[in-house]
């Protein structure tokens, strides 16, 4: 490598590092807004967020960065780069090309709009008033369409959006995957609904001490191998995980006094996200590769821990006794009954409250609506009716109002179109990873039933976490499981689990 | 104003606003580090802080800012500026000239050094090992001397440092003020020590519930008019207040289980700082004028609330009953005894534990040592011995080791030379403000004894807080009290209060 190339590499790395530093500040500002920032500071905070994210954007689209990329992409120079630097160049190029196509003024307008639109959505949801939100949603769709035009549409316009959250994923592939999934899940859900063996859930009613809920959540995080010296657990309206840096991966949960497992499953879910970010190889620290490789893979980690482990019989065989002790006199059932009571499948209106089976139908509905918006020209005004008719068709339930219908999710208000499929992809990846794990750790479920969760944590760290963005989602699933993504693993997992619970 | 001048004014204001946004992010990052950021994230966090503070510095020394200032300083243009913009130009010019003289490379070296030096200090204090810290302190002094050379020394070299924290204050003035103060306080402290009427403090021993301490602190903050929608109370090793923006002014305190008022007085103190920042006129928001006008005036607000109000007889007459109830069976004394027990004057080794009288002697010692360093060529190596001999001379006590001597304060490790005098200036300003307040609110103390603290809060807001940096410290003290700073108000206040308590 020539001296000039070496200098360019150093400047390039420094810039990436600088951008990461802005990212850390912004992540902290967002975390703070959601965990207790004073209300009256929000306006100025929003402006500060705008200033810093604008500066971060400028750093990431600066002409010199384009020149450095060109230098490092020259065949001879690229060949001499370390594997990490090669990935970093590829990843940066992708983001650079995406970002450079958006005029800064347009981006800034959009940032302001997205922020206003999120506030409007919050009010509209509270007041059950879609009409007041509709013009904002229409505008957000309009900007997103402009971005698609600027980026250049993929095989379809919606492909361009998908690629942002799940690199390499296409509408063609998702149509096939979701088509297959839907064909299997709808009849399975119907069979479950028709079963005479419905689990008892009455013992889940009551008022459950919040401190005890929190204590048990902290205990389970410890069992999972969450590193408290590299994170913390807080409370927020909606649970989330955020990695400020690999040594600072925070999670939150939300406590419902009348639901004894809501906070716990939220904690386990976010803990799964956090384990991913905490266990990325240290040599990726300070680069854009030190994060999950896609939203779908990220969700696979949270959903694996929440559903595959946290809602498994082995888990409750081991932990129910301790859980029960925290709520004296309140949970007078066996661990088997408790396990079954926490695995009720029932079509419902609200995605985030859905069980792990029908959840996927909620996602398929959103996926189909997003395709209709960007590939089918559907307008914001049409969405409430389309939403309701799809819920009737796939889940057999109809929202009584828009707050529990089309207004329920924040995603669209902030322009996160293409994000929803990640959730179901996560379920599918998780099931496929589990299949491999069960073969590679033959006594895995015995270990779970003894509370030995660290073997699993290590396996995930070794096979998935440490790579960060060094492997694409499809490279990862193939290298770990030997196969590309196949929805049949999820179908088999759900059939097996729920045939047992509902004695189908 | 010409179109060009108007454009320049707009650019100038936008830049100031941008710098404030960086400041908010940095303040949040520091707050977070002190209130519970995970340990393992600290290294990366330090780097991120370095990146952002570097970027903020670059914004504040950029050549275009110098050009904008020149344009706005032209006589005709300046005359047409609003009063706020005029102050903003003057203030920015001052900071710009100060910063522009420091080469960026030197500033960055210094930032890294200061951060290392603070870490080293922490270890050295813990291990009682001044020798390991000495080379760092020597380097920090060296850099500070370089800065003085670059800024250009004032009447003396140390004047240049003083001006940073207390604009307009000089060694000549402080020598006279501190000289007078010392001459009065040393004999007063001696008379107090010789008094046979020493307050009983035995009831202060015990183990006091932390939640009850916290609850009472929150209650008193409310009584003071602290706006919880524009702030929050957290816990940290050392209490502090930080204004992220005028709608987000946070405070922390520290709970000692065996000291029932330590956390409370810390809370009141930081609450006093916070009231200042919360009540700055809204039209200054987003400018560098939206903060306290000097460290000394800031300390006057915290010390006024902590000592003048919080340690007054009226305060405890009103609140002791409620306080007592929070610690059932533990504080079996009258409010008068409790008041006296919380106003013990006793020479001691540790500044932050000192009473409000001898505290000033701790400050005078530091002031004299700082003068010796920068005006007298004293080296870091000489400080421990000088420290100990001054403690013996002024306070009659000698540290048993450097941890309770020269190593006790963080300030010097981070290069904050010139800061210490602010604390005593705060006491003096507070006493002088109080004198005016007592004349303008004749029934002030009756109001305190009825728990009507909001009159005082409003008075401070109206006479001091709202101006932010629109008035210099000397303009402020003169406009409020009709006189320039005079230490005799503090002397009279202390003599009167302690003559009563100790029956001198």
């Amino acid at each position: 490598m020539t001296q000039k190339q070496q200098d360019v590499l150093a400047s390039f790395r420094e810039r990436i590092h600088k951008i990461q530093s802005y990212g850390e500040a912004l992540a902290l500002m967002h975390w703070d807004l959601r965990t207790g920032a004073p209300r009256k500071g929000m306006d100025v905070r929003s402006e500060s967020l705008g200033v810093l994210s604008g500066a971060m954007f400028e750093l990431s689209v600066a002409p010199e960065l384009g020149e450095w990329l060109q230098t490092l992409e020259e065949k001879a120079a690229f060949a001499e780069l370390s594997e990490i630097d090669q990935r970093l160049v590829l990843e940066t190029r992708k983001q650079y090309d995406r970002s450079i196509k958006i005029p800064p003024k347009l981006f800034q307008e959009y940032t302001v709009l997205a922020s206003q639109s999120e506030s409007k959505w919050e009010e509209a949801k509270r007041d059950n008033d879609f009409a007041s939100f509709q013009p904002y949603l229409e505008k957000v769709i309009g900007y997103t369409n402009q971005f698609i035009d600027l980026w250049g549409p993929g095989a379809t316009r919606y492909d361009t959006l998908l690629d942002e959250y799940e690199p390499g994923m296409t509408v063609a592939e998702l149509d096939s995957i979701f088509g297959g999934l839907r064909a299997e899940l709808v009849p399975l859900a119907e069979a479950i609904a028709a079963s005479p063996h419905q689990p008892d859930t009455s013992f889940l009613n009551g008022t459950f001490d919040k401190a005890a809920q929190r204590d048990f959540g902290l205990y389970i995080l410890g069992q999972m191998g969450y590193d408290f010296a590299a994170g913390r657990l807080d409370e927020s309206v909606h649970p989330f995980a955020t990695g400020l840096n690999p040594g600072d991966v925070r999670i939150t949960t939300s406590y419902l006094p009348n639901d004894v497992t809501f906070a716990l499953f939220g904690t386990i879910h976010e803990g799964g996200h956090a384990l991913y970010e905490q266990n990325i190889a240290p040599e990726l620290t300070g680069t854009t590769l030190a994060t999950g490789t896609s939203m779908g893979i990220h969700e696979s980690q949270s959903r694996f821990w929440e559903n595959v482990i946290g809602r498994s019989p082995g888990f409750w065989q081991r932990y129910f006794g301790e859980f029960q002790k925290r709520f004296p006199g309140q949970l007078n059932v066996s661990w088997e009954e408790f396990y079954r009571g926490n695995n009720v499948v029932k079509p419902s209106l609200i995605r985030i409250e859905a069980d792990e089976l029908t959840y996927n139908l909620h996602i398929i509905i959103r996926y189909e609506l997003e395709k209709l918006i960007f590939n089918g020209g559907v307008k914001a005004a049409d969405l409430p009716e389309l939403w309701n008719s799809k819920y009737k068709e796939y889940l057999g339930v109809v929202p009584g109002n828009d707050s529990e219908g089309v207004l329920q999710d924040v995603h669209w208000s902030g322009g996160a179109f293409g994000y929803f499929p990640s959730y179901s992809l996560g379920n599918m990846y998780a099931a496929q990873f589990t299949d491999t794990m069960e073969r590679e750790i033959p006594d895995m479920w015995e270990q779970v039933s003894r509370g030995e969760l660290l073997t699993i944590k290590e396996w995930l760290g070794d096979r998935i976490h440490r790579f960060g963005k060094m492997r694409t989602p499809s490279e990862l699933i193939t290298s770990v499981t030997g196969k590309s993504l196949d929805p049949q693993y999820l179908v088999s997992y759900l059939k097996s689990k729920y045939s047992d619970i509902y004695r189908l």
Side-chain angles (χ1 to χ4, degrees), chain A residues 403-420:
Chain A
S403 292
E404 55 182 29
V406 69
L407 283 174
Q408 70 183 264
D409 297 310
V410 66
H411 302 60
W412 291 348
S413 73
F417 297 104
Y419 190 115
F420 281 121

Side-chain angles (χ1 to χ4, degrees), chain A residues 42-234:
Chain A
M42 300 249 175
D43 287 348
V44 174
R45 174 67 62 86
S46 300
E47 290 170 23
S48 299
L49 279 168
V51 166
L52 265 86
S53 57
M56 180 171 160
F57 184 73
E58 275 172 37
L59 286 171
S60 66
V61 296
E64 65 271 18
L65 181 57
E67 289 160 21
W68 297 335
L69 280 171
Q70 275 189 337
T71 303
L72 298 172
E73 284 162 346
E74 283 162 24
K75 209 174 165 187
F78 191 80
E80 286 188 70
L81 294 176
S82 71
E83 205 191 330
I84 291 175
D85 286 329
Q86 287 183 343
R87 280 279 172 172
L88 200 53
V89 166
L90 292 173
E91 175 67 19
T92 308
R93 163 60 69 192
K94 187 174 170 185
Q95 296 304 326
Y96 186 80
D97 285 351
R98 226 179 147 95
S99 301
I100 199 77
K101 290 177 179 162
I102 312 286
K105 203 174 154 293
L106 193 71
F107 178 76
Q108 211 180 337
E109 282 170 25
Y110 175 70
T111 309
V112 173
L113 169 66
S115 162
Q116 290 172 337
S117 167
E118 283 195 38
S119 299
K120 268 290 159 194
W121 163 78
E122 217 170 289
E123 289 172 30
K125 182 179 173 180
R126 186 193 62 206
D127 304 338
N128 183 30
D129 178 13
F130 181 80
S132 72
F133 173 54
Q134 186 189 307
Y136 289 86
L137 181 56
E138 199 61 60
K139 272 190 215 167
V140 172
I141 293 172
Y143 274 89
T144 308
N145 268 317
Q146 282 189 67
F147 295 161
I148 295 175
D149 289 332
L150 290 163
W151 286 327
T156 74
R157 296 180 66 79
Y158 184 56
D159 277 272
T160 308
L161 302 177
L162 273 184
D163 189 63
E164 189 164 353
Y165 301 104
E166 200 64 19
M169 187 52 70
T170 63
V171 166
E173 193 176 349
L174 266 189
D175 277 351
S176 152
I177 288 172
F178 280 161
L181 199 60
R182 199 191 130 204
E184 298 267 16
L185 295 190
V186 171
L188 181 57
E190 286 167 359
I192 287 171
S195 164
H197 303 285
Q198 299 293 323
D200 179 20
T201 58
S202 59
F203 54 85
L204 293 172
N205 299 325
T207 304
F208 301 96
D209 183 57
K210 183 173 150 180
Q213 290 193 40
R214 181 176 147 83
D215 273 1
F216 193 79
L218 289 169
Y219 167 64
I220 292 297
L221 284 174
Q223 294 282 299
M224 291 165 63
Y226 177 80
D227 183 353
F228 286 99
R232 48 183 282 169
L233 174 66
D234 291 272

Side-chain angles (χ1 to χ4, degrees), chain A residues 200-214 216-217 235 239 253-267 306 311 316 323 326-327 330-331 338 341-344 350 352-355:
Chain A
D200 179 20
T201 58
S202 59
F203 54 85
L204 293 172
N205 299 325
T207 304
F208 301 96
D209 183 57
K210 183 173 150 180
Q213 290 193 40
R214 181 176 147 83
F216 193 79
E235 193 176 346
T253 193
S254 173
Y255 299 93
L256 296 183
N258 61 349
D259 185 331
V260 73
T261 49
F262 180 83
L264 176 63
F265 287 124
T267 302
E306 179 190 351
R311 287 194 170 88
W316 288 109
F323 189 66
R326 315 253 173 170
F327 307 98
Q330 291 194 277
L331 297 169
F338 191 78
N342 274 290
N343 278 291
V344 168
I350 306 296
I352 59 165
E353 295 169 5
D355 57 81

Side-chain angles (χ1 to χ4, degrees), chain A residues 16-36:
Chain A
I16 297 295
H17 182 250
K18 197 167 184 178
I19 292 171
Q20 290 295 98
S21 296
Y22 277 76
E24 176 168 347
L26 287 163
L28 179 66
M29 291 164 91
H30 282 291
W31 171 85
D32 181 65
L33 280 176
R34 296 176 69 179
T35 56

Side-chain angles (χ1 to χ4, degrees), chain A residues 220-327:
Chain A
I220 292 297
L221 284 174
Q223 294 282 299
M224 291 165 63
Y226 177 80
D227 183 353
F228 286 99
R232 48 183 282 169
L233 174 66
D234 291 272
E235 193 176 346
S236 62
V237 177
H238 299 287
F240 68 97
T242 182
L244 278 63
N245 69 53
D248 187 351
V249 185
R250 305 179 181 199
I251 61 182
T252 72
T253 193
S254 173
Y255 299 93
L256 296 183
N258 61 349
D259 185 331
V260 73
T261 49
F262 180 83
L264 176 63
F265 287 124
T267 302
I268 298 176
H269 179 102
E270 303 307 334
H273 281 303
L275 284 182
Y276 194 177
E277 302 268 337
Q278 282 186 338
N279 292 292
I280 288 169
E283 57 266 32
L284 301 179
T285 298
T287 75
T288 28
L289 305 172
T291 186
T293 188
S294 73
M295 289 300 146
I297 298 292
H298 233 310
E299 282 294 320
S300 79
Q301 298 309 293
S302 54
R303 281 156 196 280
F304 170 79
W305 280 103
E306 179 190 351
N307 293 326
V308 179
I309 301 298
R311 287 194 170 88
S312 70
F315 182 87
W316 288 109
Q317 185 183 345
R318 165 66 185 83
Y319 292 108
F320 181 65
E322 293 188 42
F323 189 66
Q324 204 177 23
K325 270 187 220 149
R326 315 253 173 170
F327 307 98

Side-chain angles (χ1 to χ4, degrees), chain A residues 367-485:
Chain A
Y367 168 70
E368 294 185 357
L369 290 175
E370 290 187 344
K371 271 201 306 177
L372 282 172
I373 296 169
F374 295 100
N375 294 348
V378 155
K379 301 273 170 247
D382 309 325
L383 288 170
E385 211 182 304
L386 281 167
W387 182 283
N388 294 350
S389 72
K390 282 196 182 281
Y391 262 77
K392 189 166 183 197
E393 186 186 349
Y394 296 180
L395 283 155
V397 292
V398 181
N401 58 57
D402 291 331
S403 292
E404 55 182 29
V406 69
L407 283 174
Q408 70 183 264
D409 297 310
V410 66
H411 302 60
W412 291 348
S413 73
F417 297 104
Y419 190 115
F420 281 121
S422 312
Y423 296 122
S424 272
L425 288 168
N427 288 333
M428 291 184 270
Y429 287 129
Q432 193 162 335
F433 287 140
T434 304
D435 176 77
T436 302
M437 196 186 296
E438 286 170 341
R439 280 184 282 108
E440 296 189 2
I441 312 173
D443 65 340
M444 169 185 162
W445 290 110
E446 286 75 41
Q447 292 200 34
V448 170
S449 67
R450 291 195 302 265
E452 294 164 15
L453 306 182
L454 295 184
T455 314
I456 293 170
K457 181 226 165 198
E458 295 301 328
W459 190 93
L460 293 169
D462 183 55
R463 311 297 303 275
I464 298 168
H465 299 168
R466 65 190 173 101
F467 297 107
K469 265 186 186 271
M470 288 293 288
R471 293 185 175 171
T472 65
S474 65
E475 283 169 353
L476 192 69
I477 190 83
T478 310
S479 68
V480 175
T481 71
K483 290 182 185 166
S484 58
L485 180 63

